[in-house]
């Protein structure tokens, strides 16, 4: 009886398999190690990348253009290296060993990046940072094509097809979770934590992603006893490139054929050649894709720099960090993807709109161009609040008036009178566009100014200005005479790149025997040591935004409000009328007045463009490729990302625009031209019949088996 039951059970199992029913095999526990690895790896990558642009500019002191070039060079290599990772896994080591070995390189890159951010070690920060970035690019790119495929290897198909879909859903949720958490967390750590005597802590902000990558490596190794290991089975890319190269060579030699790829059929299988011909037709549609990626990837560079010049204060809730704005994209993706799938696409379909994937891609590209028009117009408004930095060949003089009177100024040089100005009482003023060199400054106050105090109402001083610098001049009183004083060093109108203001204390303590302590008190306090006997200026200090009490020893001099992006000169000197110390606040650079949430419209529009262009495009290309060519299209898709970053590098290095708004408008127009070309290619394209073994199209949402983290 037992044998009969076993036989009947076996027959039912075979019948179920014939009907296409799935077998209830246990869910492979090994995939949880793979999901954990992916979460930690994506946390480390996106956490590091979120703060990279600001780190390059603020700590390594690169210009915005040079920081943009380095950022996009790094991104470019991150999307070139997956091809080599796939070849190593498929031809030499297998997926597991490739993941482990390249993860070690990945961890080493994070380690070098973290060590470079520790100022007390004394190691070359630029060199170590760039080497670290190169190793990280090798690491993240090398394992990118392996991890999700390795997870897929743990399932038995077709019996576990449904469980495989569940795995990919969890897998890509882990990608989003890792990127979301790290994009919020690491900017907060770099800005709000102080370490190694610095008011920021980039070393910890880089160190946490480094630790997470180490944990990711340990997790993937821990699961080794549970994994199903598939040996290397060869890489289709080498055969595809080989067949194309062979056919091109014979075509150059003049061998005739109906289609030039047919020339490869004498060495390669006819089915492979036909599949390559099909892929090449799809790849023609890929030609405009790099321009789209050139725009989209600037959300982490140019748009982040744009955010540094905006006001991120959100009432009592705190301050939004500039690099935290990048989190808008993945948040919107999670919300908008199902909305487009279930609501918007079906609604448009009722009006015969956006039914075809190439139509959706064209609309998405136009929306992406629109997002850069929005950012360009926003930039034009923001330019009104930007720091005015002397250009090459020019200098400036910043006058700070501590006299409660109207002061007349005459600036002369060897050629005669250069400029004549007047400054109101207790105000400041900047003379701009002066040629660097030696000037004679004459100041004068009227006879009605402090008649009982002043006995000498005019004075002259020599002022030396320097190229691209702002020279500071303090207008005060010494005894009964007016006295202009040229401060050592120079003023710096450049705004803070974070969510803070900058302040310089300019003081005249008079003839005292010892130094005096000045403190700005609020939830956080800042102290300055004021020296006697002369007029001096402190170094610039980064100050958290808010209202501060100005305390000199135990006496309160007044209040000062620090706003994000503002650059201030805090004057501490005796009032000539009362001979009592008091404070004045002079603004050198206007604070950020445009709120950072005005970036939301351009992020929203480009995210909608991403869903319609990138997500739809990836699925469409997969649906149009033969089953054997899916990995080839994956490689080609990643290469379009790399070439898009090359476009940004070329534009940034060319320095063809005097302002950022013009560059944004250029990219928007380039995208519109690019979409014109794409429309022509789409019109000429003949869709391939989708067979039963291929992936059918859905409503524009990429099939999870092939979706990669570039869409997250």
């Amino acid at each position: 009886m037992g044998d009969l039951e076993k036989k009947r059970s076996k027959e039912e199992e075979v019948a179920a398999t014939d009907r296409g029913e799935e077998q209830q095999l246990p869910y492979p526990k090994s995939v949880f190690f793979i999901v954990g690895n992916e979460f930690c790896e994506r946390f480390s990558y996106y956490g590091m990348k979120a703060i990279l642009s600001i780190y390059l500019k603020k700590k390594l002191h690169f210009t915005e253009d040079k920081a943009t070039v380095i950022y996009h060079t790094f991104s470019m290599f991150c999307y070139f290296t997956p091809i080599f990772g796939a070849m190593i896994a498929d031809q030499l080591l297998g997926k597991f060993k490739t993941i482990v070995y390249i993860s070690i390189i990945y961890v080493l890159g994070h380690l070098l990046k973290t060590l470079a951010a520790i100022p007390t070690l004394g190691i070359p920060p630029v060199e170590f940072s760039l080497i670290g970035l190169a190793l990280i690019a090798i690491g993240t790119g090398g394992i990118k094509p392996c991890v999700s495929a390795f997870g897929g290897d743990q399932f038995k198909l077709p019996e576990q097809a449904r469980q495989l879909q569940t795995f990919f859903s969890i897998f890509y949720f882990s990608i989003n979770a890792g990127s979301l958490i790290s994009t919020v967390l690491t900017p907060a750590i770099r800005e709000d934590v102080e370490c190694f005597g610095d008011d920021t802590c980039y070393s910890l902000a880089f160190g946490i992603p480094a630790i997470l990558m180490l944990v990711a490596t340990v997790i993937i190794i821990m699961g080794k006893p549970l994994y199903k290991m598939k040996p290397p089975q060869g890489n289709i890319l080498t055969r595809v490139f080989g067949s194309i190269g062979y056919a091109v060579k014979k075509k150059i030699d003049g061998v005739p054929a109906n289609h030039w790829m047919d020339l490869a059929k004498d060495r390669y299988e006819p089915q492979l050649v036909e599949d390559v011909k099909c892929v090449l037709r799809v790849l023609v549609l890929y030609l405009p894709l790099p321009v789209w990626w050139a725009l989209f990837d600037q959300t982490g560079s140019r748009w982040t720099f744009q955010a540094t010049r905006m006001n991120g204060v959100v009432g009592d809730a705190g301050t939004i960090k500039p690099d935290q704005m990048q989190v808008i994209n993945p948040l919107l993706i999670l919300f908008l993807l199902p909305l487009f799938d279930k609501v918007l696409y079906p609604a448009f379909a009722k009006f015969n709109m956006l039914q075809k994937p190439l139509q959706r891609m064209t609309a998405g590209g136009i929306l992406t161009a629109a997002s850069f028009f929005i950012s360009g117009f926003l930039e034009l408004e923001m330019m009104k609040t930007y720091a005015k930095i002397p250009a090459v060949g020019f200098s400036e003089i910043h006058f700070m008036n501590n006299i409660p009177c109207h002061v007349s100024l005459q600036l002369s040089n060897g050629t005669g009178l250069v400029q004549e100005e007047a400054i109101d009482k207790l105000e400041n003023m900047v003379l701009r566009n002066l040629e660097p060199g030696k000037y004679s400054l004459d100041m004068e106050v009227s006879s009605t100014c402090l008649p009982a105090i002043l006995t000498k109402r005019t004075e002259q001083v020599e002022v030396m200005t320097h190229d691209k610098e702002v020279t500071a001049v303090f207008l005060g009183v010494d005894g009964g005479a007016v006295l202009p004083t040229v401060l050592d060093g120079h003023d710096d109108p450049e705004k803070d790149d974070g969510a803070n203001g900058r302040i310089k204390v300019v003081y005249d303590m008079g003839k005292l025997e010892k130094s005096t302590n000045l403190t700005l008190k609020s939830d956080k306090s800042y102290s300055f040591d004021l020296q006697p006997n002369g007029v001096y200026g402190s170094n610039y200090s980064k100050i958290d935004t808010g209202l501060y009490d100005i305390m000199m020893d135990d006496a309160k001099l007044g209040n000062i409000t620090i706003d994000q992006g503002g650059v201030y000169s805090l004057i501490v000197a005796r009032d000539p009328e009362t001979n009592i110390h008091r404070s004045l606040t002079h603004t050198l650079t206007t604070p950020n007045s445009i709120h950072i949430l005005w970036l939301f419209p351009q992020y929203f529009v480009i995210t909608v463009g991403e869903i319609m262009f990138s997500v739809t495009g990836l699925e469409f290309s997969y649906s149009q490729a033969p089953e054997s060519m899916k990995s080839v299209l994956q490689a080609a898709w990643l290469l379009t990302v790399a070439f898009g970053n090359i476009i940004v590098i070329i534009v940034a290095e060319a320095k063809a625009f005097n302002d950022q708004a013009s560059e944004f408008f250029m990219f928007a127009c380039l995208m519109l031209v690019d979409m014109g070309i794409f429309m022509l290619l789409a019109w000429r394209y003949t869709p391939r019949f989708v067979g039963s073994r291929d992936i059918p199209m859905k409503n524009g949402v990429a099939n999870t088996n092939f979706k990669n983290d570039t869409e997250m």
Side-chain angles (χ1 to χ4, degrees):
M1 187 67 177
D3 292 340
L4 183 60
E5 288 179 353
K6 289 180 182 179
K7 183 177 181 182
R8 185 179 301 162
S9 174
K10 184 65 175 178
E11 290 173 350
E12 290 175 351
E13 181 179 325
V14 172
T17 303
D18 292 340
R19 293 194 303 267
E21 297 177 5
E22 297 178 11
Q23 301 300 305
Q24 293 301 314
L25 297 177
Y27 200 90
K29 296 182 177 60
S30 57
V31 299
F32 294 107
F33 291 94
I34 297 171
V35 169
N37 167 271
E38 185 68 10
F39 170 82
C40 294
E41 189 274 329
R42 290 291 86 184
F43 185 109
S44 75
Y45 175 76
Y46 285 111
M48 181 280 301
K49 197 175 181 184
I51 61 175
L52 179 59
S53 294
I54 294 179
Y55 173 74
L56 291 171
K57 180 184 176 184
K58 191 170 183 179
K59 288 301 180 182
L60 299 188
H61 308 295
F62 289 109
T63 64
E64 278 194 16
D65 284 337
K66 185 59 69 175
T68 299
V69 168
I70 295 173
Y71 177 92
H72 287 280
T73 301
F74 168 70
S75 296
M76 175 194 69
F77 280 113
C78 287
Y79 289 98
F80 264 126
T81 51
I83 296 177
F84 303 104
M87 289 182 176
I88 292 172
D90 290 342
Q91 293 184 311
L92 298 175
L93 301 178
K95 298 182 184 69
F96 174 74
K97 288 184 178 179
T98 301
I99 293 171
V100 172
Y101 294 160
I102 296 183
S103 291
I104 295 172
I105 298 175
Y106 202 161
V107 172
L108 180 60
H110 272 299
L111 178 62
L112 293 180
K113 194 83 190 64
T114 302
L115 293 176
I118 301 177
T120 56
L121 293 181
I123 62 177
V126 174
E127 291 80 356
F128 268 58
S129 293
L130 296 182
I131 294 172
L133 285 176
L135 295 179
I136 291 172
I138 294 171
T140 188
I143 68 175
K144 187 185 293 290
C146 300
V147 180
S148 60
F150 186 54
D153 288 347
Q154 308 308 305
F155 295 86
K156 183 179 180 181
L157 298 178
E159 292 88 346
Q160 292 182 298
R162 189 169 300 166
Q163 293 178 350
L164 178 63
Q165 287 185 343
T166 303
F167 162 72
F168 277 113
S169 297
I170 298 172
F171 185 82
Y172 290 110
F173 176 81
S174 71
I175 291 175
N176 276 277
S179 64
L180 282 172
I181 295 171
S182 63
T183 305
V184 173
L185 183 62
T186 53
I189 292 173
R190 72 147 184 93
E191 185 70 36
D192 297 336
V193 179
E194 298 180 3
C195 60
F196 301 108
D198 200 354
D199 50 11
T200 57
C201 197
Y202 282 89
S203 54
L204 181 61
F206 286 131
I208 291 176
I211 293 171
L212 263 292
M213 189 57 226
L214 179 62
V215 171
T217 306
V218 172
I219 289 174
I220 201 74
I221 294 174
M222 286 174 58
K224 184 180 180 181
L226 302 176
Y227 297 141
K228 294 179 182 176
M229 303 286 192
K230 291 187 177 180
Q233 298 174 337
N235 190 286
I236 189 68
L237 284 174
T238 55
R239 302 179 66 216
V240 169
F241 291 142
S243 64
I244 293 174
Y246 182 75
V248 169
K249 182 178 182 299
K250 295 191 72 173
K251 180 68 174 179
I252 294 174
D253 292 340
V255 180
N258 292 330
H259 188 285
W260 62 273
M261 272 303 301
D262 291 334
L263 298 173
K265 288 183 177 179
D266 62 342
R267 176 175 292 186
Y268 296 88
E269 312 93 281
Q271 185 59 50
L272 173 69
V273 173
E274 292 301 321
D275 287 350
V276 171
K277 288 162 67 174
C278 186
V279 165
L280 291 176
R281 286 196 294 270
V282 177
L283 291 183
V284 171
L285 291 175
Y286 276 25
L287 294 177
L289 263 60
V291 175
W292 187 88
W293 284 110
L295 274 67
F296 181 79
D297 274 4
Q298 289 185 67
T299 56
S301 56
R302 293 298 199 192
W303 283 15
T304 298
F305 288 135
Q306 190 178 35
T308 64
R309 300 185 282 268
M310 305 181 79
N311 179 13
V313 178
V314 192
D316 296 333
T319 302
I320 300 174
K321 310 298 186 292
D323 29 9
Q324 286 179 327
M325 289 300 293
Q326 299 172 63
V327 80
I328 292 177
N329 176 256
L331 281 175
L332 286 175
I333 284 286
L334 291 176
F335 171 73
L336 292 176
L337 268 176
L339 183 66
F340 269 79
D341 186 24
K342 303 299 183 183
V343 179
L344 295 180
Y345 282 143
F348 277 110
K350 293 179 181 179
F351 302 96
N352 294 320
M353 298 174 62
L354 300 180
Q355 288 183 293
K356 298 180 180 179
L358 296 181
Q359 292 174 345
R360 297 172 186 173
M361 292 179 68
T362 302
I366 293 172
L367 284 173
T368 303
S371 72
F372 267 67
F373 278 118
I374 295 172
S375 63
F377 286 119
L378 179 63
E379 184 74 16
L380 290 177
E381 286 299 311
M382 292 171 56
M383 285 171 62
K384 300 173 184 177
T385 68
Y386 283 179
K388 295 177 173 61
I389 311 295
V392 176
F394 293 95
S395 61
E396 296 178 355
I397 303 177
H398 178 210
F399 295 102
M400 294 164 282
N401 186 11
N402 189 50
I403 306 172
C405 306
H406 188 84
V407 179
S408 298
L409 302 170
Q410 289 186 333
L411 195 67
S412 307
N413 60 13
T415 63
L417 181 65
V418 174
Q419 204 159 341
E420 189 170 10
E421 294 288 346
I423 182 170
D424 290 334
K425 63 179 182 179
L426 306 180
E427 294 293 334
N428 67 320
M429 178 185 67
V430 179
L431 290 185
R432 306 188 187 279
N433 299 323
L434 300 172
E435 292 184 5
K438 183 187 295 185
Y439 292 90
S440 177
L441 172 67
D442 292 280
M443 69 173 289
E444 181 179 0
V445 298
S446 67
S447 58
T448 59
C449 174
L450 305 177
I453 298 174
L454 292 180
T455 57
K456 185 178 181 183
R457 301 180 177 277
T458 62
E459 187 58 85
Q460 186 180 78
V461 69
E462 183 180 282
V463 181
M464 180 65 72
T465 67
H466 302 277
D467 187 39
K468 299 172 59 178
E469 291 186 359
V470 181
T471 303
V473 178
F474 179 80
L475 306 178
V477 172
D478 184 21
V482 296
L483 180 66
T485 304
V486 180
L487 275 65
D488 292 336
H490 62 275
D491 281 0
D492 182 10
E494 189 72 61
K495 294 189 176 193
D496 179 67
D497 291 320
N500 308 282
R502 299 175 69 234
I503 192 170
K504 174 182 182 178
V505 180
V506 177
Y507 58 95
D508 180 6
M509 302 309 298
K511 295 179 173 59
L512 298 177
E513 294 182 356
K514 61 179 182 178
S515 62
T516 305
N517 179 262
L518 183 80
T519 304
L520 303 184
K521 284 191 174 182
S522 185
D523 295 335
K524 190 175 182 180
S525 296
Y526 301 87
S527 295
F528 303 86
D529 190 37
L530 309 185
Q531 302 298 319
N533 305 320
V535 180
Y536 302 98
S538 70
N539 294 324
Y540 279 93
S541 297
K542 186 176 77 171
I543 307 291
D544 289 351
T545 58
L547 178 65
Y548 292 85
D549 292 331
I550 304 171
M551 307 295 296
M552 191 174 77
D553 292 333
D554 295 326
K556 181 178 177 180
L557 302 184
N559 303 103
I560 182 172
T561 299
I562 304 296
D563 291 321
Q564 185 176 352
V567 181
Y568 306 92
S569 297
L570 175 59
I571 311 299
V572 178
R574 294 182 186 274
D575 185 337
E577 291 183 296
T578 64
N579 203 34
I580 298 175
H581 282 99
R582 52 108 165 97
S583 64
L584 296 172
T585 302
H586 289 161
T587 301
L588 179 59
T589 300
T590 305
N592 301 343
S593 59
I594 298 178
H595 200 274
I596 200 169
L597 290 180
W598 279 107
L599 286 173
F600 182 83
Q602 63 198 54
Y603 271 99
F604 179 84
V605 173
I606 202 169
T607 302
V608 174
E610 177 189 8
I611 292 171
M612 300 182 73
F613 187 90
S614 177
V615 176
T616 303
L618 183 62
E619 181 183 0
F620 169 77
S621 58
Y622 273 113
S623 72
Q624 295 295 294
E627 187 71 27
S628 63
M629 295 288 116
K630 306 299 185 186
S631 61
V632 177
L633 279 180
Q634 174 79 356
W637 184 269
L638 295 176
L639 284 178
T640 65
V641 184
F643 285 118
N645 282 275
I646 291 176
I647 294 173
V648 182
I649 294 169
I650 293 171
V651 172
E653 284 284 22
K655 298 180 176 63
F657 302 96
N658 294 325
D659 57 79
Q660 189 58 57
S662 299
E663 185 177 299
F664 284 152
F665 289 137
M666 183 279 295
F667 273 111
C669 294
L670 178 63
M671 190 68 216
L672 291 178
V673 173
D674 188 61
M675 282 300 94
I677 297 172
F678 182 79
M679 290 171 64
L680 177 63
L681 295 175
W683 177 71
R684 292 168 54 89
Y685 179 75
T686 302
R688 169 181 172 268
F689 171 74
V690 181
S692 59
R693 296 183 62 209
D694 294 307
I695 305 298
M697 283 290 291
K698 301 184 198 173
N699 282 326
V701 181
N703 184 289
T704 53
N705 288 9
F706 298 108
K707 188 168 168 54
N708 65 61
D709 62 286
T710 58
E711 276 62 67
M712 290 299 171

